[in-house]
Amino acid sequence: MLENVILVGLMGAGKTTVGRAVARRLGRQFYDSDHEIEARTGVRIPVIFEHEGEDGFRQREAQTIDELTQRSGIVLATGGGAVLRAENRENIKSRGTVVYLRANPHDLWLRTRRDKNRPLLQTADPRARLEQLFQERDALYRECATFVIETGRPSVNALVNMVLMQLEMAGIVPSNAGVPHEGPEASEGGPAETSVVALDGAHNVTSQAGNADGNPVQTGRDDALQTTPVSPSPDAFPR
C-alpha cells in the first residue's frame, strides 16, 4: 500500500500549491479537502459558514477527511482548521505522512489579505486574527506532523524539493522523486530562508537543514530554527 502524504498548516501556508506540485512530481492523485467540500455541496465555503455556521462546516470537513484519508497513495491538502477536531488529528496521523508547512502570521497575512473566500479572516483586523489562530493551532499541527517545514519566502519549487527530500529520507517515495525540477515553479532572485525539522517517535525535533558552511545543525523544539538559502518566489501562496 502506498502511504498518503498529508499537508497541514494555517491558511495561506501553501498547502494546495505545494501539495498539487508534489502530487504531480510523484504521479499521484491530489485532493484539497476544502475544494472537495465545495465540489460536493456546490457552494463556496463562505456560503456554508453563513448557512450552517462553523460547526456545520467542521462536520462536513471531518466526514470529507475521514473518507479521503482512507484512500491509498494520495496527496491531501487539509483546511487550516482541520486539526481542531481530535478525530481529524487521529485520522491524519494514522493514515499518512504528515507535513506541516509552518509560516509566521505576518507572511500569512501578506498572502491572504485580499482573499475574500476565508470566512475566519473577514474581521476588522485579519492580521490579529491570524496571530490568534497561529497561537491556538501551532501545537496541534506539531502534534500531527511527521515533518515541520518552515516556509519562509522560498519558491514553490524549493518547498516541493524539500518535501520530496524528506519523504525520500523516510522511505515513503523512491529516491529519484526528489531530483531538483527546473519547471514553471522555479524562480530567480536573492536569498530567502527555509528549514525543515523531523519529529521522531518521542516527538523530539531534529533539524535537517544545514548551516552556512553546509554542515548539519541539530536543534531542539524550542531552539531557533536554522536556515538554508533558497530562491524566493515572486508569487504569494494562495493556500
Side-chain angles (χ1 to χ4, degrees):
M1 176 183 294
L2 293 172
E3 187 165 3
N4 297 323
V5 177
I6 303 172
L7 292 93
V8 300
L10 279 171
M11 60 186 82
K15 301 183 299 293
T16 299
T17 304
V18 173
R20 183 177 288 115
V22 167
R24 183 167 58 249
R25 294 272 292 275
L26 295 177
R28 294 190 181 191
Q29 187 71 36
F30 172 74
Y31 294 93
D32 177 295
S33 62
D34 284 350
H35 293 173
E36 191 73 11
I37 292 168
E38 290 180 337
R40 294 180 182 191
T41 60
V43 297
R44 305 300 296 274
I45 287 174
V47 176
I48 300 175
F49 267 72
E50 179 182 352
H51 289 277
E52 300 181 358
E54 184 172 357
D55 286 344
F57 170 76
R58 295 300 175 201
Q59 182 59 38
R60 291 183 181 275
E61 180 179 57
Q63 293 171 348
T64 301
I65 289 176
D66 180 34
E67 177 185 327
L68 290 174
T69 55
Q70 291 185 59
R71 303 186 184 187
S72 176
I74 69 168
V75 177
L76 170 64
T78 61
V83 295
L84 295 175
R85 288 201 172 195
E87 63 186 293
N88 290 341
R89 297 198 299 274
E90 179 58 32
N91 288 337
I92 289 169
K93 288 189 295 183
S94 64
R95 298 174 182 174
T97 297
V98 184
V99 180
Y100 171 20
L101 296 183
R102 189 174 187 267
N104 67 64
H106 176 71
D107 286 344
L108 294 172
W109 175 73
L110 291 175
R111 298 171 188 173
T112 60
R113 66 188 187 278
R114 295 186 180 91
D115 191 339
K116 302 302 182 184
N117 197 43
R118 302 183 186 278
L120 295 181
L121 295 187
Q122 305 313 305
T123 66
D125 191 348
R127 184 171 177 174
R129 179 61 171 149
L130 281 167
E131 292 273 4
Q132 178 187 2
L133 292 174
F134 182 84
Q135 294 299 323
E136 292 174 350
R137 299 178 182 179
D138 184 56
L140 297 177
Y141 294 134
R142 288 182 176 274
E143 175 189 330
C144 297
T146 310
F147 307 113
V148 180
I149 295 181
E150 293 281 338
T151 63
R153 295 176 291 107
S155 67
V156 173
N157 191 56
L159 278 176
V160 170
N161 286 335
M162 186 71 73
V163 171
L164 291 172
M165 179 182 71
Q166 295 304 311
L167 295 175
E168 178 186 332
M169 293 174 62
I172 305 303
V173 301
S175 59
N176 61 351
V179 175
H181 171 70
E182 296 300 331
E185 299 97 342
S187 64
E188 298 178 355
E193 296 182 344
T194 186
S195 62
V196 58
V197 292
L199 286 88
D200 62 21
H203 282 217
N204 295 322
V205 178
T206 303
S207 173
Q208 302 297 328
N211 61 18
D213 299 318
N215 298 317
V217 179
Q218 302 295 320
T219 72
R221 171 172 291 181
D222 298 324
D223 295 335
L225 291 167
Q226 302 297 321
T227 60
T228 302
V230 295
S231 299
S233 169
D235 303 317
F237 295 122
R239 286 186 179 272

